Structures are given as C-alpha cells and as structure tokens.
Amino acid sequence: MVNRQESLFAAVTFFAKTHPGEVCGSNGLPLTPNSIAILGRSQRLKEIKHPNLCQYLDVIRGKHERTIVVSEYGGCTLQDKAKEPLGTNEVLRIFYQISLALNQLHQFKIVVHNLEPRHILLDSSNNVKLFNYGLYYLTNGGDYVPFPIGNIKYMPPERLMGSKNNIKSDVWSLGVIIAELLLQCTFWPNLKISNISRKILSFCQAPNVFEKIAREHNRLELYQNLSEDLCSMIESCLAVRPTERPLPSALLQLPLFKDNLSSYQIAPNEKSSVLLLRMPLEQIYYWWQLAGGDVQADLKKEGLIRSEAPILSIPQVVCLNGNIIGPKRSQSYLMDDRVVPLKLQNLIERLKGLPATAYYPLIHCPKFPYIFGVGMDQLPLVIREKDIEYQFYRVRLFSKLLTGYPYTADLIRNEAAIDIPPLLRGPIWSCLLDVIPNGSYKKIDKFTPTSTDRQIEVDIPRCHQYDELLSSPEGHRKLKRLLKAWVTAHPQYVYWQGLDSLTAPFLYLNFNNEELAFLSVFKFIARYLQWFFLKDNSAVIKEYLCKFKQLTAFHEPVLAQHLVSICFIPELFAIPWFLTMFSHVFPLHKILHLWDKLMLGDNSYPLFIGIAILKQLKSTLLASGFNECILLFSDLPDIVMENCVVESQKMYEITPKSIAHRFYVNRDHELGPFDITSDITLADLQEEMCPHISANDLTYMLRNTPEKMLILDIRNISDFNRVHLPHSINIPYVSLQFGDKSLDFLNVPQLQEKLQGKIIICISNIHENAVKFSKFLVECGVSQVCVLHKGFNILHCIEPNILISN
C-alpha cells in the first residue's frame, strides 16, 4: 500500500502512434501529431471529479511522441486485495461503488474499456477509486496509439468482434471482476491470449455465462451457495447480448443494494494530520512542481524512460511514400503498465513551517490580518511565480476570494493589482471582467454554416499554433465554436482577422469551460474594443490611432517628432496591436502577463502599452529612417514584458483620464459640460499634436495636486492681469517667435526647470493659438504637454470659482 503521506498521485507513460512520413491533411497542412491530439482530448478528463474516480491532474507531452499522464493515486489495487478471499458484503460494496463510478462516466459519455482489478484502487476504508479509466477516451478509442487497450480477459465478446464505445462493455468487465471475487479465483491464469479469446467467444453459445465459468474453474459449489439475487445480478452483467445488460444506473437501483445501502456507500476517511494533504489535488500538484517536482525525472529513476543509442533506430530503407524498413521498434516505445507514485516528502518539508491560518485565510477579520508574503511584491514577477511559499499564499488567498465572488469582486481586484497566480488566472480574469455565467452560451447556435466559416477555418490553423493545447484538434474545434458563437451573438459586427488571436488566451485559460471563455471574450471586447468589429470601422480605428499619436507626443515628444518627420505613422504598424490587444504580436506567455495588468485598467490602458513598446525601441527608432522602421516592425525584436508592464502602468497612473478620452467607448455615465465633448471632430484631432484635457481634470489637479501641473496662459497681458488661474505663468502669444525650436526664446527665467516632470497645460481664449504653442513645446522636447478643452472661457462657468481676479 502506498503511504498517503508519501504520494497522492502517480504517473504512467506510453508512446503515441507516429504518422508515416510527411503526410498532410485535407487542408494541405501537416497532420497534427497524435500526442498533441491526446493532449487536447485529455483536458476533458480534468473536469471529472467524483469520489469513486481518480482525478486527472496533468498530461505532459515529451519527446518522440511520448505522453505522460499524472492522476490521483493511493491505496492498494483490487488485484492485491483479492489475494485473500473477500466477504460477500465487501464484494457488494466494491460492486456498488464501481457502478457509481461507471454511472458518472456514462453521464460524461466516456467508456473505460480497460476496467480490470489493477485499475481499481481501495483505500484504508475500502472505498473504491477507478484509476486509468480515461486511457481509451484520450487515445480516441485506441486510434492514437500502436498498442491494444484493455485486458482481453475482461473484454466482452462484441469487443473481440470489433464493437467499440459501448458502456455495456464496461458492465461486462464489471461482471467478470465481481465473478472472480465471488468465486475466489483468477480466471484463465495460464492460458495464452488466443485461447482466452476463444473461451470468450464460446460464451456466445452459453445460456448462463456465470455458471459456465464456475464449472470451468471448479467453483460450482461456491456458485451454488450464492444468493439467487446475487447470481441474477452477475448473470445480467454477463449477458452475451449487450442490449440485455443493464446500464450502471439500473444496477444502482437493484433491491440487493437498497436493503443495506448505507454500508455500501462511501465511508468518510479520517482527515490527514498534515494540512497540506487536505488541500485540492490540483493545488498540491501545482505546488509540488514549484518545489522541484519533475515527473520525467521520476520516471527515469524507475526505468520507464530509457534512452537508446540513436544508431540502433536508423532505418535500412526509406521508401518514396515515407514508409520505413528497418529494425523493429523497441518495446520501450509501447505501453509500459507500471505506475510510478510521485513522492510529496520534499513539498511537505518545504511547507511544514507555515501556520494554519495560511491554509484557511480569514479575509474580513481585522483581528487576524492576512500578512503572508509581505514584501515579496517588490521582487520581479518571474521570481514570485516560481517561489513555492509565495505561490502557496496567493493560491489559498484567491481560492477563498473566488468562492465569495461576486461579493468579493473589489477584494479580488485589489489583490490582482499585486499579481495573479498562474494556476487561477482564468477564473480571476473572468472576475475582473465582471463575468457571471448564466447559461446563455448553450443557447447560441454554433453549428449552422455562415459566410464567415471559411475565413475562420483558414485563420484557426495559424493562431498560436506553437502552443500544443491550442494546436490540438480539440483546441481547433473549441476555438471555432467560440468564434461562431461570438459572431452569432453580435449581428451588428463582422468577423475580422485577429478575433481568433483575441479569443485564444481565454480558451487557453478556460479550456474546459467554454461558457466562461465566451463570456470573458464578450466582456473584454465590449470594454476595450467597442465598435472595432463593425463592417466599416475606419472612424473607430482612425480615432484610436490619432489618440495613440497624441499620447506618444505627450509622453515621448522627441520620438513622436522623429516618427512624424520620417512619415512613419501608426497606421503602418499599430493596427494589429490594438485590434488584437497585442495577442497577435506577442507569444501567449507574454500576453498573459500583459493582460494581467490590462484587465485592471480602463479602455485607454492599451494605448499606454503601445507607448511602452515604442519606449523600449526608442534608441533604435531614433537612429532609423522609414525603411529601417518598416523592417523593424515586420519582425519585432524581443520586448521585455515586465519593463513594458511597469512603464505602461506608470504612464497610465500619471495621465489625467480626459487626455486619453475617446468617443467610441462604452460609458458608465453621461458626459458633462466640463468633460471632453463631441464638438471636436476627428479631422481636428488629426491636425493637432497634443491631446486635450478637460476642465474637470484641470480643476481636480488644481485643488488636489497643484505641484504636479504647470499652467501656461498665452493670452495677452491685460486679459491675464484681469483674471487668471493661480500658479499660472503668462507667456503672451503675440510676442512669440516660433522660428527657433528653443525654450530660451520664451524669455521665462528657469522655464526648463519649472517644466520638468510637470503636466503642462496650455490655455488660451483662441484655440488655434493654444494648438500652435503646444506643438512648439513638443518640438522643443517638452513632455506631458496638453491643451485645455474649450479654452480659458470654460473656466468662468466652474463653481466654486477657481479664478483669481484683480
């Protein structure tokens, strides 16, 4: 028996079937490796959680089509337990609990097809758990592997004749297993496979299979001593015709069980004294990996992964059709049925010093504040994501918060601002997007052919195909369903290329929950890409790119000036950035970190990400002409994502909201007279280099953070002396000469020092003057320059009065 403190899960490994030569599919693309197809199908098995089924935790794709499956494992096998005779009540208890497990699998439309005693585990309370029950499903009925699945001794006659995917086959296997336990022997222990298959096929002529087996094994007396109900139950399971066998749900309703049902049901196990072992298995497995756990290394130690000299596998003849003639494939490339328990001792040692409150954090308890992991947020994100103790705290904290959603939405947002644990990123993102599943996804038509299907089918095989999960056939099917559902749910929109890249991260994180992925995409687009997918989205795109150009001038005036001088406009490089929120530009692992911060910002945050990318490329761009810039962005250099996140966050926080204002967004409230109003047209925006700031933002800064701003009033001296804003500097526009791009010509003492680090607001009662003056400041290299929307006159209407009059 495996010590429960040493192992909660185990690994098995096998090789998938390889495709012969360079075979292509009907779409002209190379066939997907079978190991990747297995990986995609295996994700569904992770959904299944039942007391009588071992939980699937991970499927790892190794080299040369190797597949490693990690799942829950503990206790001893029925094969070992049955070495000593079991009482009738014990056998019935095993029968009932296996039926419970098969009934659950039947609801998931999964057939075991390899049910046998060594795949049935019993714990210390004799509770049953089925192990390795998903092998037939994840290999697509054995099509993806070069070896047969299942023990022929427990196969029904119809399987030997080619029948597949029938739950009644598992009922036969259950009947044979229980017959062995009742007759206290192993059937046909010394027969060859061919002889066993003849025996099984001979049952087709037998009126009573159970009795025939008992006679063959000299167990007729034991058979005759069994109760009539029990014999009848086994005989029904061993009916030759599958239609005459009961379903697992029917077995559970038999009177034989109802008389003593409580003794057959699952008995609660004593809780482990080690708090870690009480945690959800997927969390324990995640921490085990962070603590240095390596599945492949453990398999190597046990000899399941063996390396052989490459020269031994060199083919003797390679035919033109791709077939290989040479040495037979090594047995190590087939199924090795050994199970390798993965020991937890190292993880337990690493976490043994943690207090109990770390396992069950109290969120709303001032008496016991949650202070674990304090100070770690100052370390780089890559270190925090690999630190076992820090990830333990974060996972437990978010697990608690997620159970209280939506009531804990604000707390989730506050904690997500620090960082998001990778294990829970999918559900946390959905909370940040205010997603509440409501069953609407099931009602959307995802199968009726539409005019966009052809384009979707062309785009999907090119969407993040370096990722094994998204490149699997199951990943392709799910992505197609999501895209069709989104198009159907938005009749006002059309499918634009890039929507697939936008959807892929949500599918990756919610592979087993399509509804959560769909609703997350739904909310994400409404928040960040409103009206981007109109049939004619030119006005939306132009406004977005214009605002991007203005914000670039606001934060990086020298770079903005250079790009304008070489005519390298955002239309040439930034449309894919914003249409896909950078998911088409960066690999998936970088997108995840980038969107962690994006989810916390409003619809303007992507603009600052774009500027942060330009800042990283600044030195190269300043030294490049138009052609060099085109080449640079056609193959974007590696971007340090953590620097990009930090820079974008910094710019987002210091920039007044109205400076990033756009009209084509969803709003929570109506715009007031002191906000940026619609009297400014797109043509006006495109002509201006500097963004507008609203009177509301100016007033707020003047009252709360006057040290962060500098107001340059360019009205004439008499108007300024009559009424002006406090702390403002008067630079009359009529006296200015814009020939030389130097601040010295403004004749203001120490102006360079005064402008440093401040938000510069240009104010005039003539808008064209403010536009020209702000452009002059940008050309002088002054950053954070903006123009007051509606000019000085709007300030007269603000109450209480903020103006100083003489």
Side-chain angles (χ1 to χ4, degrees):
M1 184 181 289
V2 177
N3 188 331
R4 197 166 169 74
Q5 297 223 355
E6 289 183 356
S7 178
L8 288 177
F9 33 80
V12 295
T13 183
F14 57 88
F15 278 87
K17 189 188 297 181
T18 55
H19 295 301
E22 298 294 325
V23 179
C24 293
S26 57
N27 59 1
L29 298 173
L31 289 177
T32 304
N34 285 322
S35 55
I36 288 182
I38 289 171
L39 179 66
R41 289 180 66 86
S42 69
Q43 302 307 306
R44 185 162 179 254
L45 296 174
K46 295 181 183 178
E47 286 185 88
I48 304 172
K49 293 183 181 179
H50 188 271
N52 295 118
L53 294 168
C54 289
Q55 183 181 340
Y56 276 83
L57 298 169
D58 197 10
V59 172
I60 303 164
R61 181 173 178 255
K63 294 179 180 178
H64 311 301
E65 293 292 86
R66 178 180 289 282
T67 299
I68 301 168
V69 181
V70 181
S71 69
E72 182 182 2
Y73 190 86
C76 70
T77 65
L78 181 60
Q79 191 175 45
D80 294 332
K81 187 85 171 177
K83 289 177 181 176
E84 296 180 4
L86 300 175
T88 304
N89 272 339
E90 284 182 290
V91 173
L92 284 174
R93 176 183 168 83
I94 291 168
F95 190 106
Y96 182 80
Q97 292 196 14
I98 294 175
S99 299
L100 281 173
L102 292 179
N103 186 50
Q104 177 71 8
L105 292 174
H106 188 215
Q107 292 175 19
F108 276 84
K109 297 181 180 177
I110 289 176
V111 179
V112 181
H113 270 347
N114 66 337
L115 187 63
E116 56 179 300
R118 64 190 178 89
H119 291 155
I120 299 169
L121 305 178
L122 298 167
D123 63 16
S124 55
S125 302
N126 276 342
N127 293 318
V128 167
K129 277 186 183 287
L130 297 193
F131 173 73
N132 204 22
Y133 54 85
L135 181 63
Y136 188 80
Y137 172 80
L138 62 87
T139 59
N140 194 29
D143 290 344
Y144 296 155
V145 287
F147 51 84
I149 293 175
N151 188 332
I152 196 168
K153 273 203 290 187
Y154 303 95
M155 288 183 188
E158 71 270 9
R159 270 206 68 192
L160 297 181
M161 293 185 283
S163 175
K164 290 184 176 183
N165 296 320
N166 189 343
I167 189 66
K168 300 288 186 74
S169 298
D170 292 338
V171 173
W172 171 284
S173 303
L174 173 59
V176 176
I177 290 168
I178 301 304
E180 281 189 333
L181 296 178
L182 292 172
L183 299 180
Q184 299 175 10
C185 69
T186 302
F187 298 159
W188 312 298
N190 301 316
L191 290 186
K192 294 179 180 179
I193 290 177
S194 57
N195 293 332
I196 294 174
S197 62
R198 289 193 191 97
K199 288 279 186 186
I200 293 171
L201 291 173
S202 70
F203 292 152
C204 296
Q205 307 298 324
N208 188 325
V209 174
F210 189 22
E211 182 182 352
K212 182 176 181 182
I213 292 175
R215 290 180 182 278
E216 283 184 4
H217 292 83
N218 298 319
R219 291 294 194 274
L220 187 59
E221 187 177 347
L222 276 175
Y223 167 79
Q224 291 171 342
N225 289 336
L226 296 174
S227 69
E228 187 177 339
D229 288 345
L230 185 52
C231 279
S232 175
M233 181 174 68
I234 303 301
E235 286 162 6
S236 67
C237 292
L238 296 179
V240 173
R241 294 174 181 268
T243 53
E244 295 175 2
R245 292 177 214 149
L247 287 169
S249 55
L251 291 173
L252 296 172
Q253 302 302 319
L254 290 173
L256 191 65
F257 295 124
K258 289 188 176 180
D259 295 341
N260 197 13
L261 188 60
S262 59
S263 64
Y264 302 139
Q265 291 176 333
I266 297 167
N269 279 312
E270 183 180 345
K271 287 190 176 180
S272 172
S273 59
V274 181
L275 287 177
L276 175 68
L277 302 184
R278 301 185 192 179
M279 298 297 104
L281 270 178
E282 59 270 18
Q283 294 183 13
I284 297 175
Y285 177 66
Y286 173 64
W287 297 324
W288 176 80
Q289 290 177 301
L290 291 178
D294 186 337
V295 180
Q296 297 200 43
D298 285 0
L299 291 177
K300 282 181 181 178
K301 287 179 188 175
E302 296 296 324
L304 266 77
I305 295 181
R306 303 189 294 275
S307 39
E308 297 179 351
I311 196 170
L312 297 178
S313 60
I314 293 177
Q316 294 170 352
V317 178
V318 179
C319 301
L320 291 175
N321 62 3
N323 291 331
I324 293 173
I325 300 172
K328 290 185 178 180
R329 200 173 198 193
S330 167
Q331 289 297 310
S332 65
Y333 281 84
L334 297 177
M335 176 68 179
D336 192 327
D337 58 10
R338 285 179 289 171
V339 178
V340 178
L342 306 175
K343 296 183 179 179
L344 297 175
Q345 202 55 45
N346 186 38
L347 175 62
I348 294 172
E349 286 294 320
R350 290 285 299 273
L351 298 179
K352 68 179 180 182
L354 298 181
T357 46
Y359 289 87
Y360 303 101
L362 300 170
I363 306 300
H364 296 288
C365 187
K367 187 177 179 182
F368 300 102
Y370 192 80
I371 56 173
F372 304 113
V374 172
M376 286 287 290
D377 55 334
Q378 302 303 316
L379 294 175
L381 183 62
V382 67
I383 294 177
R384 281 179 274 157
E385 288 192 347
K386 298 296 182 185
D387 187 277
I388 170 67
E389 289 190 20
Y390 183 73
Q391 284 301 308
F392 178 86
Y393 297 138
R394 300 299 287 168
V395 167
R396 292 307 303 154
L397 175 62
F398 273 106
S399 296
K400 183 88 171 186
L401 291 173
L402 289 170
T403 58
Y405 178 79
Y407 307 105
T408 55
D410 290 338
L411 289 171
I412 290 173
R413 181 168 287 275
N414 292 339
E415 289 297 331
I418 301 171
D419 58 42
I420 294 176
L423 181 68
L424 301 173
R425 184 174 270 122
I428 292 171
W429 276 12
S430 66
C431 294
L432 296 178
L433 291 167
D434 302 322
V435 169
I436 299 178
N438 53 15
S440 59
Y441 180 69
K442 291 180 181 178
K443 302 173 185 176
I444 299 173
D445 181 4
K446 302 176 279 290
F447 303 101
T448 303
T450 64
S451 58
T452 59
D453 287 359
R454 175 60 184 157
Q455 187 60 52
I456 289 173
E457 287 171 2
V458 168
D459 288 348
I460 286 176
R462 300 180 297 190
C463 178
H464 294 292
Q465 293 305 286
Y466 54 85
D467 180 78
E468 294 173 348
L469 197 56
L470 294 178
S471 66
S472 66
E474 192 65 23
H476 286 190
R477 283 190 288 270
K478 286 176 179 284
L479 186 54
K480 183 177 180 180
R481 284 198 295 268
L482 286 171
L483 294 174
K484 283 177 68 67
W486 189 88
V487 171
T488 303
H490 295 84
Q492 74 275 28
Y493 289 153
V494 296
Y495 175 83
W496 279 84
Q497 281 183 288
L499 186 61
D500 53 331
S501 297
L502 202 61
T503 307
F506 294 106
L507 174 59
Y508 176 79
L509 295 176
N510 303 286
F511 202 82
N512 289 329
N513 193 334
E514 281 186 49
E515 181 180 22
L516 200 61
F518 171 77
L519 293 177
S520 297
V521 175
F522 191 99
K523 293 274 190 175
F524 184 84
I525 291 176
R527 181 183 294 183
Y528 298 103
L529 292 164
Q530 181 72 353
W531 296 304
F532 264 68
F533 294 95
L534 289 170
K535 188 171 185 179
D536 181 10
N537 62 0
S538 58
V540 184
I541 295 284
K542 284 177 181 177
E543 184 201 35
Y544 205 98
L545 296 178
C546 181
K547 186 56 63 176
F548 176 59
K549 185 175 72 173
Q550 288 186 347
L551 282 172
T552 304
F554 184 81
H555 287 287
E556 287 293 327
V558 176
L559 179 58
Q561 269 295 109
H562 174 69
L563 295 179
V564 168
S565 68
I566 63 173
C567 300
F568 191 65
I569 56 177
E571 283 85 344
L572 296 174
F573 63 91
I575 292 177
W577 290 7
F578 300 124
L579 190 63
T580 67
M581 286 295 113
F582 308 95
S583 60
H584 184 68
V585 184
F586 296 122
L588 206 54
H589 69 277
K590 290 191 175 184
I591 288 298
L592 300 180
H593 288 147
L594 190 63
W595 283 13
D596 282 349
K597 289 298 181 186
L598 175 64
M599 299 285 178
L600 299 167
D602 60 20
N603 55 71
S604 67
Y605 194 92
L607 294 163
F608 300 102
I609 295 173
I611 300 168
I613 294 171
L614 293 181
K615 286 183 79 167
Q616 281 200 38
L617 303 172
K618 182 177 178 179
S619 59
T620 306
L621 289 171
L622 289 175
S624 302
F626 179 84
N627 292 335
E628 290 84 354
C629 288
I630 289 288
L631 290 172
L632 180 69
F633 281 93
S634 64
D635 187 14
L636 199 65
D638 190 36
I639 299 295
V640 181
M641 194 49 64
E642 188 162 1
N643 294 348
C644 185
V645 168
V646 170
E647 284 294 331
S648 60
Q649 185 73 17
K650 192 186 301 180
M651 289 185 285
Y652 175 75
E653 289 172 355
I654 67 173
T655 306
K657 297 301 176 191
S658 60
I659 284 181
H661 168 88
R662 291 185 300 114
F663 290 106
Y664 292 106
V665 294
N666 277 329
R667 298 187 202 288
D668 298 329
H669 58 273
E670 292 294 321
L671 293 173
F674 302 116
D675 291 314
I676 307 286
T677 48
S678 56
D679 53 355
I680 180 170
T681 65
L682 179 59
D684 294 333
L685 275 176
Q686 290 174 325
E687 290 297 320
E688 298 174 15
M689 178 166 279
C690 296
H692 289 211
I693 188 171
S694 69
N696 269 336
D697 278 348
L698 182 145
T699 306
Y700 177 84
M701 293 178 69
L702 194 63
R703 289 172 177 161
N704 296 282
T705 57
E707 72 283 356
K708 293 183 178 179
M709 62 186 291
L710 182 65
I711 300 169
L712 300 183
D713 191 331
I714 62 172
R715 294 174 300 143
N716 60 49
I717 296 174
S718 59
D719 288 345
F720 181 82
N721 289 336
R722 186 166 60 253
V723 60
H724 60 270
L725 285 166
H727 314 298
S728 59
I729 298 175
N730 183 226
I731 305 176
Y733 182 81
V734 292
S735 63
L736 295 178
Q737 299 293 327
F738 295 141
D740 295 316
K741 311 302 181 188
S742 172
L743 295 177
D744 296 338
F745 289 94
L746 298 180
N747 296 320
V748 178
Q750 298 179 328
L751 181 59
Q752 186 74 47
E753 290 77 8
K754 292 177 182 178
L755 297 175
Q756 197 69 35
K758 303 283 184 67
I759 292 177
I760 316 302
I761 304 175
C762 301
I763 299 179
S764 176
N765 48 13
I766 302 172
H767 181 64
E768 289 76 13
N769 293 349
V771 170
K772 290 178 182 177
F773 182 67
S774 61
K775 183 180 179 184
F776 168 75
L777 293 177
V778 171
E779 289 171 343
C780 292
V782 179
S783 61
Q784 301 189 134
V785 178
C786 58
V787 175
L788 177 63
H789 185 62
K790 290 189 176 179
F792 187 86
N793 294 334
I794 190 69
L795 302 177
H796 291 291
C797 306
I798 293 176
E799 294 182 358
N801 186 29
I802 59 172
L803 296 173
I804 299 172
S805 57
N806 296 325

